[in-house]
Amino acid sequence: MSSQIIINIIIAWSIYTLVAVSFALIYQTTLFFHFAHAVIFTSGAYFAFLFNQILGWSYYTAIPAAIFLSLFLGVLMEVFFYKPLRGKKASAIILLLASLGIYIVLQNLISMVFGDDTKSIRTWEVKEGLNVFGGYITPVQIIIVAGNFLLILAVAGYLSMVKTGKVMRAVSNSQELSKLSGIKSDKIILISFAVGSALAGIAGILVSLDVDMTPTMGLNMLLMGIVAMIIGGVGSIRGIVLGSLLLATAQNLTVWFISSQWMDAIAFGLLLIFLLFRPQGFYGKKLKKAEV
């Protein structure tokens, strides 16, 4: 196998893993598909562009500020939309429709403010990447891979060793039982939105440093993250890592041997296979009853 294919797989693997984990943190505590998460991913890149390219801030101040605003945007969605809807006993379908509405509004707002053309926050000269056993990888891509996996390790440690992380896992298992145990599920859901949105914002910034940005960049990345989460197993960081690796490998082999036009088809073909033959994914648990 070509060294370049392996490098491309590792880069895609790291990005898919971070996006999938950021989405899974929210999904596990709310049990609905938060599609507006796609615009959180996009917002990280555009906030960084605003602060760095338009306002002239350095990367050292623009990137942390962009991450914070992505986090804040996710928290606002929870506080002003999802929490009131849950208070009215809205179903997961209603929450999903609300999420789609939020995504459409914010994505169009980004288009209106920044335009639909491709933007970039890179200010350095584009050069040939470092040669690694015949393949090439740029310094930014090395940062993407290293940064993403450090964040995944941090999240895994947070969920397994920190009290709040353990409580998040308890809420994801059963909101009703956690309430009976005295756990304030709304507070934990808010924390999940904050952490998940921050991770999505970081992922958006890292991707934009490598391949630029467009207002619609978040949706396809979110869909790939959801596919990786489902085939890996909801609720398992290890499963998400494995699911992301399988997805990245299948897509890059498809590009190499067939055509890039088949990338999305292969992704959803994998999803259908797992839904038919192993719906719980690699490491997920079988559900005793269906939840909508």
Side-chain angles (χ1 to χ4, degrees):
M1 185 183 293
S2 168
S3 298
Q4 191 62 58
I5 297 179
I6 296 173
I7 290 171
N8 292 344
I9 288 171
I10 292 171
I11 295 167
W13 177 25
S14 64
I15 294 170
Y16 289 166
T17 302
L18 185 60
V19 174
V21 168
S22 72
F23 180 83
L25 287 173
I26 297 172
Y27 175 77
Q28 289 176 72
T29 54
T30 60
L31 297 180
F32 84 97
F33 276 66
H34 170 46
F35 272 107
H37 198 62
V39 87
I40 301 295
F41 176 93
T42 306
S43 73
Y46 277 90
F47 282 138
F49 177 83
L50 170 66
F51 294 134
N52 179 254
Q53 297 295 310
I54 297 178
L55 299 182
W57 295 10
S58 70
Y59 286 115
Y60 300 106
T61 52
I63 290 177
I67 295 169
F68 173 77
L69 284 182
S70 295
L71 180 158
F72 187 62
L73 181 60
V75 167
L76 287 179
M77 291 180 187
E78 159 61 10
V79 171
F80 290 103
F81 295 101
Y82 302 136
K83 183 179 177 180
L85 286 172
R86 287 199 308 275
K88 295 180 179 179
K89 306 298 181 183
S91 67
I93 296 298
I94 297 299
L95 291 169
L96 170 62
L97 292 174
S99 182
L100 286 171
I102 295 169
Y103 168 76
I104 292 170
V105 169
L106 293 182
Q107 186 263 310
N108 280 277
L109 182 62
I110 290 173
S111 295
M112 185 172 63
V113 173
F114 294 98
D116 290 320
D117 57 315
T118 301
K119 296 287 192 301
S120 177
I121 57 175
R122 292 177 297 181
T123 56
W124 54 86
E125 183 181 350
V126 178
K127 297 181 180 179
E128 186 178 62
L130 305 174
N131 190 313
V132 181
F133 301 112
Y136 291 90
I137 184 170
T138 67
V140 170
Q141 290 170 337
I142 293 173
I143 292 172
I144 288 173
V145 173
N148 283 350
F149 280 105
L150 285 174
L151 286 167
I152 296 305
L153 289 174
V155 171
Y158 173 75
L159 293 175
S160 61
M161 292 184 287
V162 179
K163 181 180 178 181
T164 307
K166 293 178 180 178
V167 173
M168 285 172 62
R169 292 167 61 190
V171 172
S172 68
N173 288 328
S174 175
Q175 286 193 25
E176 296 302 321
L177 289 178
S178 62
K179 287 179 181 179
L180 293 175
S181 302
I183 297 173
K184 296 180 179 179
S185 60
D186 283 340
K187 178 181 177 181
I188 299 304
I189 290 173
L190 186 65
I191 294 172
S192 299
F193 267 91
V195 176
S197 298
L199 292 175
I202 293 170
I205 293 168
L206 290 174
V207 170
S208 69
L209 288 170
D210 185 36
V211 294
D212 300 329
M213 65 186 81
T214 63
T216 58
M217 65 186 284
L219 184 58
N220 186 68
M221 192 60 68
L222 176 64
L223 291 175
M224 294 304 104
I226 292 173
V227 171
M229 180 189 75
I230 292 173
I231 67 179
V234 177
S236 170
I237 298 292
R238 180 174 56 174
I240 288 174
V241 171
L242 187 57
S244 299
L245 176 59
L246 176 60
L247 176 61
T249 302
Q251 286 190 317
N252 278 278
L253 289 177
T254 299
V255 171
W256 186 263
F257 291 108
I258 305 176
S259 168
S260 60
Q261 295 177 345
W262 286 86
M263 285 182 67
D264 290 345
I266 288 296
F268 290 104
L270 270 176
L271 176 62
L272 288 174
I273 290 170
F274 270 82
L275 289 176
L276 286 171
F277 299 105
R278 192 174 175 83
Q280 73 271 26
F282 284 120
Y283 290 102
K285 298 178 180 178
K286 291 184 178 180
L287 295 176
K288 294 181 179 179
K289 63 177 181 178
E291 293 186 67
V292 178

